[in-house]
Amino acid sequence: MGKYAVLKVKQKFENRYKNGYPLIFREAIVNPNEVEEEGTIVKLANEQGKFIAQGYYGRQNKGLGWVLSKNENEKFDQNFFNDKINKAVKIRDSFFQNTDTTAFRVFNGEGDGIGGLTIDYFDGFFLINWYSIGIYEFRDYIVNSLKELAMCKGIYQKKRFDVQGKYIEEDDFVAGERASFLSL
């Protein structure tokens, strides 16, 4: 991800982002047209140019993208995504241990630190929901993180980022083994 842009935050919204607000929304940005390509790393700065946070540009019905870090030097690389996904899995470890529970949400978007992405678990299989082209640009990192998990039998995906936010029809299989309940 070599592309980046600086988006200036209007003064009245500055404290929201300093306090950890995750959604980058058009009304808060002075120069929303500064970035066009989804997946671009965006650095949020105040109107004087002082760094506030950084994230990625990914249009969806909620906004222009998501804040991923308040650390100016954070790299959104394999280690970053491994860390976020492993923390979410650890928090839900009791669900993995409970044999009566075989389906649950493993990763809940901005609540787990990466807006625009959810990951569900179905008895050994992960289902990734991508809500923008922007987050989909990081797919290799996210898929690789899931493939490293011991409980991963296979990975499926749903792309929900067309103009109307509807599911895009295609073969949803990504990696691992195919689930037998889906082979008809």
Side-chain angles (χ1 to χ4, degrees):
M1 303 295 131
K3 303 167 291 256
Y4 83 95
V6 176
L7 295 178
K8 293 195 174 183
V9 175
K10 293 176 183 173
Q11 185 177 2
K12 69 179 185 177
F13 296 104
E14 193 175 324
N15 282 335
R16 264 193 209 185
Y17 290 108
K18 285 181 178 177
N19 292 328
Y21 189 75
L23 178 65
I24 303 169
F25 58 101
R26 182 173 290 281
E27 297 79 22
I29 305 300
V30 173
N31 58 333
N33 297 324
E34 182 72 23
V35 60
E36 294 179 6
E37 193 171 336
E38 292 201 53
T40 298
I41 301 300
V42 293
K43 296 191 184 264
L44 300 183
N46 66 16
E47 292 185 61
Q48 292 73 43
K50 185 174 180 191
F51 176 83
I52 299 171
Q54 66 171 328
Y56 73 91
Y57 177 67
R59 289 187 311 252
Q60 64 182 82
N61 60 352
K62 291 183 176 184
L64 300 177
W66 296 94
V67 171
L68 299 178
S69 177
K70 293 196 301 182
N71 176 348
E72 188 170 9
N73 298 315
E74 185 89 63
K75 301 286 184 231
F76 304 128
D77 57 12
Q78 189 66 61
N79 288 333
F80 175 84
F81 288 95
N82 287 349
D83 183 57
K84 294 289 186 185
I85 290 171
N86 287 330
K87 281 181 182 174
V89 167
K90 188 173 182 170
I91 289 168
R92 292 153 181 95
D93 187 57
S94 63
F95 292 116
F96 288 104
Q97 304 306 317
N98 182 343
T99 57
D100 293 331
T101 304
T102 59
F104 52 92
R105 176 138 300 159
V106 171
F107 196 93
N108 195 22
E110 62 270 20
D112 285 313
I114 305 173
L117 169 76
T118 61
I119 304 170
D120 298 316
Y121 179 80
F122 299 96
D123 199 22
F125 295 89
F126 290 98
L127 172 63
I128 305 168
N129 286 285
W130 311 100
Y131 290 95
S132 74
I133 295 168
I135 191 62
Y136 189 71
E137 291 295 313
F138 298 96
R139 69 188 168 278
D140 290 343
Y141 294 142
I142 294 162
V143 168
N144 288 339
S145 292
L146 292 174
K147 285 167 45 177
E148 294 299 316
L149 298 173
M151 72 288 288
C152 180
K153 293 179 187 174
I155 302 170
Y156 285 80
Q157 67 182 358
K158 288 194 178 210
K159 297 176 188 172
R160 301 180 181 274
F161 50 74
D162 75 343
V163 178
Q164 288 80 32
K166 294 180 183 172
Y167 168 63
I168 295 173
E169 280 293 329
E170 65 181 21
D171 181 9
D172 297 331
F173 179 73
V174 175
E177 66 183 68
R178 288 186 178 267
S180 60
F181 59 87
L182 291 176
S183 52
L184 301 173

